[in-house]
Every structure is written in structure tokens, then in C-alpha cells.
Amino acid sequence: MKYTKNYQLTQWEKPDRIVMSDFNGDNAKLEAALTTQNSRLTSEAARLDGRVNTEAARLEALAATAPRVLFSQS
């Protein structure tokens, strides 16, 4: 039986005997990888969200100190 290069997932060929544990093992690998990736993406999204909020607050504070110019039409 052959396996994929990067993730060692089962690659069947015609003469191979298909076994349920091979499917279950591949699914467990995929579940673990997807869970890890989801955690990483969630953490990165939270980090970026915090950064956006920080920058928005900084810009609001900066805008509050900017001089206001009033125009009047005569």
C-alpha cells in the first residue's frame, strides 16, 4: 500500500485490501490537522481583530486632537 508524501494518507491500489482502520486512521489525521489549523486561524483572527481595534482607537484619539475648520458662506 502507498501513502501520500506529505500527510501519510492511505493511497490504495487495485490489489490492496481495503480495511476500515485505514479509513479511520486517515480521518483521525485529517481531524487533528483541521482542528490545529482552525485553532491557529482563530488565534490569528483574534490577534488581528485586537490590532484593528487598537488602531481604530488611536485614529479616533488623533481625530479628536485635530483642529476643526469651519466654513461659512456669506
Side-chain angles (χ1 to χ4, degrees), residues 2 20-22 24 27 30 41 44-45 47-51 55 64 71:
K2 291 184 179 182
M20 184 176 17
S21 61
D22 292 331
N24 291 342
N27 285 331
L30 292 170
L41 290 173
E44 182 65 6
R47 185 188 72 76
L48 291 173
D49 191 45
R51 190 168 165 197
E55 289 301 313
F71 293 95

Side-chain angles (χ1 to χ4, degrees), residues 20-62:
M20 184 176 17
S21 61
D22 292 331
F23 279 107
N24 291 342
D26 286 350
N27 285 331
K29 290 175 187 178
L30 292 170
E31 178 75 15
L34 290 170
T35 299
T36 298
Q37 187 65 8
N38 184 57
S39 294
R40 288 178 182 162
L41 290 173
T42 300
S43 295
E44 182 65 6
R47 185 188 72 76
L48 291 173
D49 191 45
R51 190 168 165 197
V52 166
N53 290 337
T54 299
E55 289 301 313
R58 189 180 70 78
L59 288 173
E60 284 180 26
L62 185 60

